[in-house]
Each structure stands twice: as C-alpha cells, then as structure tokens.
Amino acid sequence: MTGGAQIAEMARPRIEAMAEGLSTARWTLTEVAFWLVPVACFFLLSDYLVLGSQILITALFALSLDLVLGYAGVVSLGHAAFFGLGAYTAGLLGRHGWGEPLSGLLLAAAVAALAGWLTSFLVVRGRDLTRLMVTLGIGLLFFEAANKAAFVTGGVDGLSGVTMWKLFGVFRFDLGGKTAYAYSLVVLFVAFVFARRLVASPFGLSLRAVRENATRMPALGASVRSRLVIAYTIGAALAGIAGALLAQTTQFVGLDSLGFQRSAELVVMLVLGGAGRLYGAVIGTALFMIAQDWLSGLNPVYWQFWIGLLLVVIVLFARGGILGVADQAMAAWRRKAEP
Amino acid sequence: MSAVALRAAGLNKTWGGFVANRDVSLELAVGERHALIGPNGAGKTTFINLLTGVLTPTAGDVYVGEENVTRLAQHERVARGMTRTYQITSLFPSLTVLESVVLAILEREGLATNWWKSVAQHSGAAREAKDLLERLHLGAEAGKPTKSLAYGKQRLVEIALALATKPKILLLDEPAAGIPAAQSAEVFEVIAGLPRDVTILFIEHDMQIVFRFAERVSVLVAGAMLMQGTPDEVANDARVKQVYLGEAPHD
Ligand SMILES: Nc1ncnc2c1ncn2[C@@H]1O[C@H](COP(=O)(O)OP(=O)(O)OP(=O)(O)O)[C@@H](O)[C@H]1O
Ligand SMILES: [Mg+2]
C-alpha cells in the first residue's frame, strides 16, 4: 500500500462519520469569529464592560441550564438555587478572609455540585410537571433558607464586604471592570469548551436520546436515572461557578441571586436563543440583556411587555429560538441556491 | 435436555380486578425460535413487559439462565443479554438513524458515559453501525433524522436498535406490524439469519410467518397459556381453531 493510500484509508472512517453527521468536536471558522466578538468588545467598548461582564456571567449560567434542559430535557424553574449557592460560597469566602478568586470558583463549584447531586434524586423522577414543581420548590427553599440565615448571608440587605485578592496575584479587580470582564470571559470560554466536548461525546448523545425518548433508553441497556443525575450535577456545578463569578466581580451577593425571577428569566433567555444548542444559550442571553438594558432605560414597564410578546412569538412561531430560525433560513437559502 | 436461556415461572399481572397475565410459564432453550400467538388483548405485550422488566409481576419469577432477574431493572436485564423491540415504534425522533444505532452500540460497549472523545472519534462503532444498517437495507437512510423515515423503515430501525445490543435473547413484539408482506418476509429473513445461539421469542399474527420461522409455538388466550407445541400440533389443535376461527370443536 502506498503512503498516500494508507493515509486515505486511515482518514476514511472520520470522513465517513462526518458525512453522516456524527458529532465531532472540531472548531469551525464561524465559531472562531463568534468568540472574537467579546474579545473585540473588551477593546472597543470599554464603557460597557460592567454590562459586558454581567452578560458573560449570565451566559455561563444559561449554558449550565442548557445542558440540563436543552440537552437532557429536564425542565427546571429553580436553577438559580445553584447560582446563588455558588455566589454565597464565593462571597462568604471573600468576606471572611479568603479572597483568592480561582480557588473560590472551584469551591463554589464543589458546593453547588454537591447540592445538585443531592437534589437530583428528587428531580429525575417524574415527568415535566413534577420536575417543574420540584425544582421550583427547591429554589424557594434555598431562597427562604438564605433569607432566614441573615446572620450568615446578610438576608435582604445582601452580603457586602466581600474582598477579593488580585487575580493570579497580579490583576486587581478595578472599578472600570477590565479585570472582571477578562476574567469572566476566560471562565466562560473554558466552561464552553468543556460543554462543547461534552455534548459532542457519547455521553452528550445519550443525553439527547434521553430527552427524545426516555422510555426507550433502558431497552438499550442505559439507566436513565444515572445519566440524568450526572447531567444535573454538572449543570449545578457550572451554575455555581457563574454565581461565584458574579459575587467575586461585584463583591456583593444579593438575595435575588437565588430568586425565582432569576430562574425564570434564564429559561426565557435560553428559549429565546435556542435550547439544546450551546450557542443558543450565549446568544439568547446577550440579546436579552442588551435589549433589557436598552429598553428598561426607556421605560421599565415597556420592557416586560416586549419580552412577554417576544416569548409568545418565539414559542408559537419560531421553535428552536433564534438559532433555530437562522438554521431554517440557511437551509431554505441553500435549497434556492442549488439549481 | 439443552440449556435454558429464559424461563418465566408462573407470571401474573393484574390491574385492579383485571387479570392481564394468569400463571404464565414458558421455558426457552438456548437458540430456540419460539412464536407467541394469541388474539388481540390476550396479554402478549404484557408478558414481554414482565420478562423485560418494564412491568413488575404481581406474582411469579423470571430467570435468565440460572439467574433470577425478577428484581432487576430493565437496563440491567439488557446487560444480561435480553433485548426487546416494541410493537408501537419507540425511537429517537430527531436523532439520525446512524446516531441512534451508534448510541446502542456504545451503550453495549459501556462507552456511552465517555465525555472527552467525540462520537465521530468512535469510528469502530460507526463502522459497525453502518454494516448493520446495510444489512437491514437502511444504508441510504443512515444520515437522516429518524422521524423523516417512512413507517416501514422506522420498523427496521426498531430492529436495528435491538440487534445493535447483540442480544443473547431477543424478544420481538410484532416486528413486522404494519409493513407490506414482501418487506415483512425480508425482516424475518434477517432475524432467521442471526447466529444460532441467539434465543428468539416473537409475537406475530401472520400464521404463515409463524409456521415458517418458529420451532415451537405458545398460544396465549385471555391472559392464560392455552397450549404449547410444535407448529403442526398448534395448527391441528381444536381449541386453537376455536379461538381463531370461532369454530366449535369437531367430534
Ligand atoms: N398499563 C395497563 N393498565 C391497564 N390495563 C392494561 C395495561 N396494559 C395493557 N392492559 C390491558 O391488558 C390487556 C392485554 O394487553 P396486551 O397489550 O398485553 O395485549 P396483546 O396480546 O399484546 O394484544 P395485541 O395483539 O393487540 O397487541 C388488554 O386488555 C389491555 O387493555
Ligand atoms: Mg401487543
């Protein structure tokens, strides 16, 4: 066999697999371009870095819900429980003398993961409505617990006095928010790379299959419960990291970090961008928050009205969210371009 | 006496006062091709659900080989080599046909919890899946979303998923239900072509197919086992004739 033929033979399975649409973890040019946008914003929109950080952090939060809801199909109205738990973990560390950011993130992830793992057993049983109620209930429990434990959490006044050390001992968290933005962007990106790998893997495929038809999975030899427990735990850990980022970059934790509104808005952002696609989580969050910032500046009542209308339109007429519509438009355009 | 692959011992299933399975017992030898027949509503699907662990019996036990699997979950029984197909097609609508079969193979190999390599990198599974799809004449459909396939093709995907688990015991609940006769013969050719040590229990209403592919036949009526025997014995049994044709037994 010649060298060329040998290489062709080795490359064959991969080319075939790609042609059939099996998930690969390869980066496309569009994706690279996508990630250059937030980098460019850092240099070009230095007046908006505070809003920018909020978007990046919420995008990470939405990403964590996307794994649970978009991929594994577990509906949740209480995902803020893990966000808040992460935020309080990192906040309390910073308040009580441990201001090192990265270890704070990791500890917040661990605490949120533990809470996610423990509650997952309640969540994975039952169907959509049961899950909706259980997650909602868990969210309310966490909120009330933080409210009552005011001597630890600061209650309704929030947790202030969070002091952060320099990132890597070098970058101070400045008032302009440069460090906060760069830090949030890098953490989001790392989490995104992880999530991207996860959803392209056999594990990710099995989650999609659970979403599509959970009753068929045991007939393939898979325990649905154990898959969902893992997915839910990972989702909780990522949400905890997002919460910790917010606490560290704003050096404050409000009770609203655990609130029902945060959970509910997150679902809206995800549905808006396109659940079950990682970029849907990021795009939905960015559009939602930019629109919110812009419209609520004009009139806060209007904002609620428009977002309500948009949600109804998306759910009724544009299933798959913005990315779903974009996909359909692309497909239609391709069909037209082909003779 | 050859080794027993699967044994049902006095299975009962009741819902309230309704008895769907009454003391159903069955023993399948390794490699046996066994048909389960009976009128609509006789309790055949219920029986398969009890064997596979979809339902818990009200009484009775299920053995795979020597092992009592009555308390095991469905996926644990699959791990012991018992797989089924569904009378009512139950697939993964938006996954492609290839993805579905690759998933079944990865589950079998214990690779489905791998999260660091992409699905496409598991080229062995992809190749095996393609070969299987070719065998079932689904090669051209591999890349299509399952829900876009015609009904007959979806029935074949149902079988492909079961075969991908490489079962030792295969339970087929009307595998050819609703597909044209010519195609259903094809389906059974594939099934008949499985390795001889695969034990097969199939539910089928078409008697021609039953007589052609089954070595033994069980007849279930109103939840109870009416008789078991060779196809000839069953065909000539007066009680069976009565059930199927509503004839009074002669003589
Ligand atoms: N989950 C359930 N709850 C209550 N009754 C049920 C349930 N599942 C099945 N039954 C009843 O049990 C009886 C047997 O049903 P089953 O599906 O096992 O019959 P079958 O022999 O497979 O019939 P068919 O040939 O039509 O597929 C039917 O009367 C059915 O209505
Ligand atoms: Mg049936």
Side-chain angles (χ1 to χ4, degrees), chain B residues 15 18 20-21 38-47 55 87 173-174 203 205 220:
Chain B
W15 280 289
F18 177 73
N21 269 199
N40 290 116
K44 304 181 295 294
T45 299
T46 303
F47 182 58
L55 295 174
Q87 180 177 2
D173 196 347
E174 302 194 27
I203 299 175
H205 284 293
L220 200 65

Side-chain angles (χ1 to χ4, degrees), chain A residues 23 197 200 212-213 216 227, chain B residues 90-91 94 107 116 119 158:
Chain A
S23 307
R197 200 148 257 278
E212 291 288 308
N213 189 350
R216 185 56 147 110
R227 290 301 148 81
Chain B
S90 174
L91 302 169
S94 72
E107 293 287 358
W116 57 93
V119 176
E158 182 73 45

Side-chain angles (χ1 to χ4, degrees), chain A residues 13 16 20 22-24 194 197-198 200-203 205 208-209 212-213 215-223 227, chain B residues 74-75 78 90-95 98-99 103 107 111-112 114-120 122 127 130 143 158:
Chain A
E16 271 180 5
E20 301 285 10
L22 288 180
S23 307
T24 68
F194 166 74
R197 200 148 257 278
L198 193 82
S201 73
F203 179 70
L205 176 60
R208 283 161 59 211
E212 291 288 308
N213 189 350
T215 52
R216 185 56 147 110
M217 283 300 275
L220 301 184
S223 158
R227 290 301 148 81
Chain B
Q74 196 185 351
H75 70 273
V78 175
S90 174
L91 302 169
F92 307 105
S94 72
L95 300 194
L98 184 65
E99 278 179 325
L103 175 66
E107 293 287 358
L111 293 170
N114 177 316
W115 60 269
W116 57 93
K117 269 166 82 179
S118 75
V119 176
H122 292 80
R127 216 169 305 133
K130 287 209 175 141
E158 182 73 45

Side-chain angles (χ1 to χ4, degrees), chain B residues 182-217:
Chain B
Q183 256 182 313
S184 75
E186 219 171 77
V187 167
F188 275 95
E189 293 301 341
V190 172
I191 293 164
L194 289 173
R196 262 323 306 193
D197 61 344
V198 177
T199 309
I200 299 174
L201 175 70
F202 66 96
I203 299 175
E204 177 56 55
H205 284 293
D206 183 336
M207 288 307 146
Q208 251 175 320
I209 288 180
V210 169
F211 292 137
R212 187 148 150 226
F213 292 100
E215 294 152 2
R216 285 207 307 148
V217 181

